[in-house]
Amino acid sequence: MLHTFVPKPLQNKGYGAKLVKETLDYARENHLKVIITCPFARIYMARHKEYEDLL
């Protein structure tokens, strides 16, 4: 995950978290590993330890 982007009018409404969650769920369903460079996604991963196995 290189970068997440949510337009200003939609920020702070959970869309970024939903984007990261759906991406991680997709990776899990398809037996993929992820490399995260996006600061927002790194914070999400730190708060949701259930996805650590995807790293």
Side-chain angles (χ1 to χ4, degrees), residues 12-50:
N12 299 312
K13 296 183 179 183
Y15 292 110
K18 180 73 170 167
L19 175 65
V20 175
K21 180 188 181 314
E22 292 298 322
T23 301
L24 295 171
D25 288 343
Y26 176 87
R28 177 167 283 140
E29 291 168 10
N30 290 279
H31 311 287
L32 302 171
K33 295 288 184 179
V34 295
I35 298 171
I36 298 180
T37 60
C38 171
F40 182 86
R42 284 182 192 226
I43 292 169
Y44 185 93
M45 290 287 290
R47 293 180 181 164
H48 296 88
K49 302 292 185 189
E50 66 269 22

